[in-house]
Amino acid sequence: MTRLILASASPARREVLRSAGIDPIVRVSAVDEDAVAAALPEGTPPQVVVVELARAKAAAVAAAIPEFAADCVVVACDSMLLVDGELQGKPHTPEVARARWGAMAGRSADLVTGHCVVRMRDGHISAEAVDCSSTTVHFAKPEPDELDAYIATGEPLQVAGAFTLDGLGGWFVDRIDGDPSSVIGIGLPLLRRLLGDVGIGVTQLWGHTA
């Protein structure tokens, strides 16, 4: 029985999969995202940056799951918001979150999500597929007291771009152009294609429980 291993601590990514019929086994990598990004050549396109981060996470988890290595698929993702040509990850502090909202409120930006799928058979990696999805997010302009309250919840501090679509941040998104699941952190249409590229039909994974 092929199992899907989600190489992410994101509860939102897990819920996207669970809502789509797959209850993944969660294994979190210890990859230093900043170090991976810093090691890339200067001028690396944003789409390549997020793909390489996803690839690093998938590789780290694939090397640490001998109990599932006989037959599994490892899925890893990395999301960042592209604003004025600059990638923005998690703000981590209220000050950074406020500054980012000051730059993106009332404007549009692209949420790019790198995906990596690694197929493991008989203890070895038999196939890998990677790609990036991009969705345009059109932001509202929160009132100052609304932004204060949102930042005070702590939600925007630990998510790419300082917002969520499926949480409190959804109140401040006017609309999106593209795949909503990708904005949440794992794009189902792209993941279905990548799973197919490594020889897994998505329906094979439905109904499996962790």
Side-chain angles (χ1 to χ4, degrees), residues 107-111 133-139 165 173-183:
R107 301 180 60 203
S108 301
D110 293 328
L111 197 286
S133 61
S134 180
T135 301
T136 301
V137 183
H138 302 270
F139 293 100
L165 183 63
V173 175
D174 281 339
R175 69 183 192 280
I176 66 169
D177 298 326
D179 170 27
S181 62
S182 179
V183 178

Side-chain angles (χ1 to χ4, degrees), residues 67-90:
E67 68 272 36
F68 300 110
D71 186 5
C72 74
V73 59
V74 179
V75 175
C77 300
D78 191 86
S79 298
M80 290 191 182
L81 190 68
L82 185 60
V83 181
D84 295 328
E86 181 179 348
L87 282 175
Q88 298 182 351
K90 301 170 184 176

Side-chain angles (χ1 to χ4, degrees), residues 34-105:
D34 292 337
V36 172
L40 296 173
E42 186 175 352
T44 299
Q47 294 79 5
V48 176
V49 172
V50 293
V51 164
E52 289 305 313
L53 286 166
R55 193 198 300 269
K57 295 176 184 178
V61 169
I65 51 168
E67 68 272 36
F68 300 110
D71 186 5
C72 74
V73 59
V74 179
V75 175
C77 300
D78 191 86
S79 298
M80 290 191 182
L81 190 68
L82 185 60
V83 181
D84 295 328
E86 181 179 348
L87 282 175
Q88 298 182 351
K90 301 170 184 176
H92 296 298
T93 68
E95 293 76 18
V96 174
R98 189 178 304 279
R100 291 187 179 174
W101 268 98
M104 68 194 193

Side-chain angles (χ1 to χ4, degrees), residues 15 56 61 70 77 128 153:
E15 285 308 307
V61 169
C77 300
E128 178 189 272
T153 68

